[in-house]
Each structure stands twice: as structure tokens, then as C-alpha cells.
Amino acid sequence: MSDLTATATDIDSRLEGHRVELTGYCYRMLGSAFEAEDAVQDTLVRAWRSFDKFEGRSSLRSWLYRIATNVCLDMLNAGNKRARPVDLSGPTPLAQAALNPLPENTWLEPMPDGRILPSVADPAEAAVARESVRLAFVAALQHLPPKQRAVLILREVLAWKAAEVAELLDTSVASVNSALQRARATLTDHQDSSAPGDAADPLDEEQRKLLERYVAAFEGYDMKALTALLHEDAVMTMPPFDLWLQGHDDIAGFMTSIGASCEGSRLIATSANGTPAFAHYKPNPDGPGFVPWAVQVIDISDGAITGMHCFLDTPRWFPLFGLPDHLDADAA
């Protein structure tokens, strides 16, 4: 029995060692934090149950990616394509702003860096990984048919060889190369929305100071100071609402009108999708302290904030990010 236990423990350890990178892969494929984690769990369960059939003709990693790809393709057969508010409509003028929620499965979801970005020693490899989980890039991937999506991620992000991808998908190298060419063309059509911003890790001194000023302006609800930090074409999104705003004047105007209850909030630093992020707590309307309001994912480019993406479904997001469900009144 002890030998069997040791073997089972070893299998568990070997499979779990691939969880983070598989979650990153499934997240890029599916655009959903929770669907990605479900897909990986399904992958590992399938691998466990059929481990005795794994003959080692490919690496364990390749075998797991094959299983994960099949799981994701099955899930994507339902046809759901996740998006950001900016992908569905034009910006709403402040005077017409209204909060209309859409179903949860409409939206591209945020993901904590620690769940999708494995530790790597090569800074260039780490940078590619971060860029490939940015909200804009994952949103652009949603425009690709499922198999093209898999090919592009495996070839361009994970640097698999065409022959390796062909073997995984049970197809030819020519078919893989053709799918990659079509996928690249589609991404080019959407490259304005998926243009990379500045990296989140490591932040340079200028970026750190910009974020410090952002926190000070937001917590102080100083719209003049906040406006100075925002790019003139900055966007603010608030899933599950389809509304999105463009331009620092409309953003500041919204925050002092419909969003005025956010005055006095606190921001706690975290990271998501390869970019800086904050847990946003509003003053508790029913007592002391602060309560969860949003996970803010921040885009930075050329020394300015270009995007504030506020995900409001805190009962889902705060546990995923390991964030407390309350802040004391003296929270800094």
C-alpha cells in the first residue's frame, strides 16, 4: 500500500507542477478565469485516470497540452465569445450614461498573475508571457476560430515548433502553418485594440510614481489630479455593465456623478493580466470600514494611464484574488 501511495503522490506532484502554465493556456483560449480553472481541473483528472496509458512517446507536458486543448475545444463548441465593453459598442457620452448589465458569460474576465504566469528565469520569455495575458490581447484572440486560437498560442506565445503543434492537433505541418497565417492576419485587423502597453513587472521608477499618484488622486477623489494622470483618450470600463467611457473629462464627470459613492475609497495593490491592478474598497454604507467594490486592471502607456477596467462582480473576483472581504476603518 505504501508503494501505491508513493506512486500516487508522485503522479499528483508531476501533474500539479504544470497547473499554472496550463491555466494560462486555457485562460488565453477561453477568456474566462473560472472556465480556465475548470478546464485545467478536467485536464488533470483525465490525465490521472489515464496515466497508466501514458507511454512516454511524447513529454508529459505535451501530453497534458493535448488533453487541455481538447477540453478547451469542446468548451468552445458552445460558440460563446467573450469580449470587453469596448469590443461591443462605441463609447457612451457622459450625458447618456446608463448602467445596463449583460450576462456574466458576455465578458472577458480578469485573472491574477500568480495563477497564469509561471516563474521563468528568462526576462524576455517572462515579458512575452505577460503581454500574452493582457486583456486586449486575450480579447483579440476571441476573434479567432478555436483551432486557429490554439495554433497561434502554441506557436507564437509558447514557441512550439510547427511539427509539435501538428502532432498535438492530429493534422499536418502545412495545415498548422496555414492556420497560423490566417490567425496572424485576423489579429492584425484588431491590432489597434490589442496594442501592447507598458509591462507590469518589473515596474520602473516612473511607472511606480505614476501609480502612487493615481492612488493618491483616487483615494483623495481629486479629479484635477486624476485627470492629469489620464491619457486624453483613456477608457474606463465597468463589466458587467456595457457602458464604457472615453476621455478624461467624461471619466472624471462620471466619478463625480453616477460614481460619486466611490469618494473616500481605498485601493490595495495587486496584479492581473500582466498589468498593475488594485482592489477597490468603497466606504461601508452600513457601518465602519470599507467593503469590496471592484478589481481595477490598469493600462499604462507612455507615462499615462490609458485604461481603467473595473470588474464589479466582487463576490467572484475577491476570493479568486485572495483579497479580504472587508477593510478596517483605519486601513491605509
Side-chain angles (χ1 to χ4, degrees):
M1 181 65 68
S2 61
D3 289 343
L4 290 175
T5 303
T7 301
T9 301
D10 178 61
I11 294 172
D12 277 340
S13 178
R14 292 177 66 187
L15 296 178
E16 282 295 326
H18 295 276
R19 181 179 289 274
V20 172
E21 66 169 310
L22 287 172
T23 305
Y25 174 63
C26 293
Y27 174 71
R28 295 178 184 99
M29 287 288 291
L30 301 170
S32 164
F34 297 100
E35 288 183 1
E37 295 205 326
D38 287 346
V40 172
Q41 190 60 32
D42 190 4
T43 296
L44 297 181
V45 168
R46 293 188 190 190
W48 170 265
R49 289 175 175 168
S50 57
F51 198 83
D52 59 335
K53 300 176 184 177
F54 173 58
E55 300 174 351
R57 285 177 294 184
S58 63
S59 69
L60 176 62
R61 180 173 182 256
S62 297
W63 184 59
L64 290 172
Y65 270 92
R66 175 190 287 268
I67 299 171
T69 300
N70 289 332
V71 170
C72 288
L73 293 178
D74 287 344
M75 294 174 73
L76 288 168
N77 281 338
N80 184 47
K81 183 174 73 173
R82 291 179 178 264
R84 304 165 299 167
V86 298
D87 302 317
L88 301 181
S89 67
T92 303
L94 178 60
Q96 301 172 19
L99 300 179
N100 302 309
L102 295 180
E104 170 273 321
N105 63 2
T106 305
W107 302 116
L108 185 69
E109 298 178 344
M111 192 62 150
D113 285 357
R115 290 180 179 262
I116 51 174
L117 295 177
S119 299
V120 294
D122 183 352
E125 185 179 342
V128 169
R130 287 195 301 273
E131 292 296 343
S132 70
V133 295
R134 291 176 65 87
L135 289 171
F137 183 78
V138 179
L141 290 174
Q142 302 294 299
H143 294 280
L144 301 177
K147 285 196 175 180
Q148 284 186 29
R149 202 178 305 178
V151 167
L152 186 127
I153 296 167
L154 291 166
R155 292 281 286 119
E156 302 278 83
V157 176
L158 301 176
W160 284 41
K161 297 177 181 177
E164 294 172 326
V165 178
E167 182 179 359
L168 182 146
L169 294 174
D170 291 323
T171 189
S172 67
V173 170
S175 177
V176 166
N177 289 336
S178 176
L180 179 60
Q181 185 175 8
R182 295 196 302 274
R184 285 171 172 166
T186 300
L187 284 193
T188 297
D189 291 339
H190 297 278
Q191 76 180 76
D192 286 343
S193 64
S194 60
D198 296 344
D201 182 25
L203 292 170
D204 61 30
E205 185 66 19
E206 181 182 355
Q207 293 167 337
R208 284 195 295 271
K209 288 181 177 178
L210 176 66
L211 291 173
E212 288 171 0
R213 293 196 296 270
Y214 172 75
V215 170
F218 197 99
E219 292 188 342
Y221 233 60
D222 183 340
M223 293 302 112
K224 183 177 180 180
L226 182 65
T227 297
L229 305 175
L230 299 177
H231 189 277
E232 63 180 359
D233 293 324
V235 301
M236 182 178 183
T237 68
M238 291 161 282
F241 300 117
D242 58 1
L243 165 76
W244 66 280
L245 303 162
Q246 185 169 43
H248 45 56
D249 290 340
D250 274 3
I251 292 173
F254 179 88
M255 291 178 65
T256 54
S257 55
I258 296 174
S261 63
C262 289
E263 185 170 358
S265 292
R266 294 291 180 266
L267 300 181
I268 304 297
T270 182
S271 61
N273 295 84
T275 63
F278 295 98
H280 174 188
Y281 291 83
K282 280 174 54 171
N284 184 359
D286 300 318
F290 303 86
V291 294
W293 181 247
V295 169
Q296 297 183 3
V297 182
I298 305 298
D299 291 331
I300 299 174
S301 185
D302 298 328
I305 291 173
T306 56
M308 301 162 58
H309 307 288
C310 307
F311 295 87
L312 304 181
D313 192 356
T314 55
R316 301 177 78 226
W317 303 128
F318 274 49
L320 181 73
F321 279 76
L323 295 164
D325 59 7
H326 184 269
L327 288 184
D328 293 336
D330 60 352

